[in-house]
Amino acid sequence: MDGTQERYTIIQKVLHWLIALAVIGALAAGSLLDFLDNGAFKNQLYALHKATGMLILGLMILRIAARIVFGAPALPIGTPSWQRAAAGVSHFLLYALILAMPIVGWAATSAFPAPIPFFGLFDVPALIGADRDLSKQLFWVHDIMGKVILALIAIHIAAALQHGFSRKDGVLRRMWF
Ligand code: HEM
Ligand code: HEM
């Protein structure tokens, strides 16, 4: 369906904004964990971070399915080819990294091993067996990926705002309601 509609479908918009909010929350909570002393608040933030991360994984699977089924609207005529390429590469990287990030967090936490409560409803089963060294390496990857995601999101938001308020070419509206 690529290029046959002017905007993203409502399903894609709802998923985009839910995931955007959850990812920004997960980045903030994850980074904050580093600065907190052990205690009840830190434990709750761990639980909230892990549950939000698992929710993002579920939503991302739905979102990728929606992207395959509904495609993306064609960019405005006259969009330079380097911008088409930049948008394509950065969107692909965002999809890939935001899908991989919770899987790495899930594996790292399983290997630690620590529980993954899902908002008090149930415990998510371990993805892999206990292995403290592997857990350390996976958390290192989780940390680096977090920094890359943060940089990509900063560029993404700057580009979206530039389209919306400087170029006013309707690209921001494609993802708005
Ligand atoms: C898109 C989803 C996720 C994002 C954006 C994210 C982001 C982050 C960030 C930025 C940190 C701080 C890294 C550091 O400074 O060392 C962090 C730490 C952590 N994350 Fe995630 N995370 C996600 C999903 C998950 C999931 C699904 C789990 C587990 C089920 C998880 C478990 C953890 C744990 C346990 C830490 C603390 C690691 C430590 O104490 O060194 N994360 N996360
Ligand atoms: C204030 C924050 C944000 C704004 C204003 C914004 C805006 C937009 C807009 C306008 C588009 C459509 C671009 C186009 O038509 O080609 C888009 C697409 C996209 N956004 Fe965001 N976004 C924000 C936050 C985020 C965050 C935090 C993430 C990642 C978690 C994200 C991931 C994506 C992805 C992957 C696409 C590509 C969608 C597709 O082609 O299927 N966005 N965003």
Side-chain angles (χ1 to χ4, degrees):
M1 265 233 261
D2 263 67
T4 54
Q5 77 269 46
E6 275 189 5
R7 294 185 179 202
Y8 286 92
T9 57
I10 183 76
I11 300 172
Q12 286 167 297
K13 291 175 189 175
V14 169
L15 286 171
H16 173 270
W17 292 108
L18 270 179
I19 292 169
L21 213 72
V23 168
I24 291 170
L27 284 172
S31 310
L32 189 61
L33 281 170
D34 267 356
F35 298 99
L36 295 176
D37 294 328
N38 288 335
F41 179 66
K42 186 171 184 175
N43 286 343
Q44 286 195 337
L45 200 62
Y46 265 123
L48 183 66
H49 176 81
K50 292 189 273 189
T52 309
M54 293 309 298
L55 182 66
I56 292 169
L57 177 58
L59 293 174
M60 275 309 286
I61 292 169
L62 292 178
R63 181 160 179 200
I64 289 167
R67 181 64 153 81
I68 291 168
V69 174
F70 302 116
L75 283 165
I77 297 162
T79 304
S81 62
W82 73 266
Q83 280 184 15
R84 290 177 187 275
V89 170
S90 59
H91 290 167
F92 178 82
L93 282 177
L94 277 169
Y95 271 107
L97 288 171
I98 288 161
L99 178 72
M101 186 68 170
I103 298 173
V104 173
W106 184 7
T109 307
S110 306
F112 189 70
I116 306 175
F118 191 75
F119 299 110
L121 298 174
F122 58 89
D123 273 6
V124 177
L127 187 61
I128 55 175
D131 181 337
R132 194 50 75 93
D133 285 341
L134 179 62
S135 172
K136 259 194 191 156
Q137 287 165 359
L138 289 170
F139 274 126
W140 180 79
V141 174
H142 196 66
D143 182 11
I144 302 296
M145 281 175 72
K147 293 182 168 71
V148 176
I149 289 173
L150 186 66
L152 277 174
I153 289 178
I155 295 170
H156 177 73
I157 294 177
L161 295 181
Q162 204 246 343
H163 278 289
F165 300 104
S166 162
R167 304 223 308 236
K168 300 192 174 85
D169 57 6
V171 167
L172 183 58
R173 255 180 291 130
R174 291 144 56 90
M175 198 47 104
W176 195 241
F177 297 93

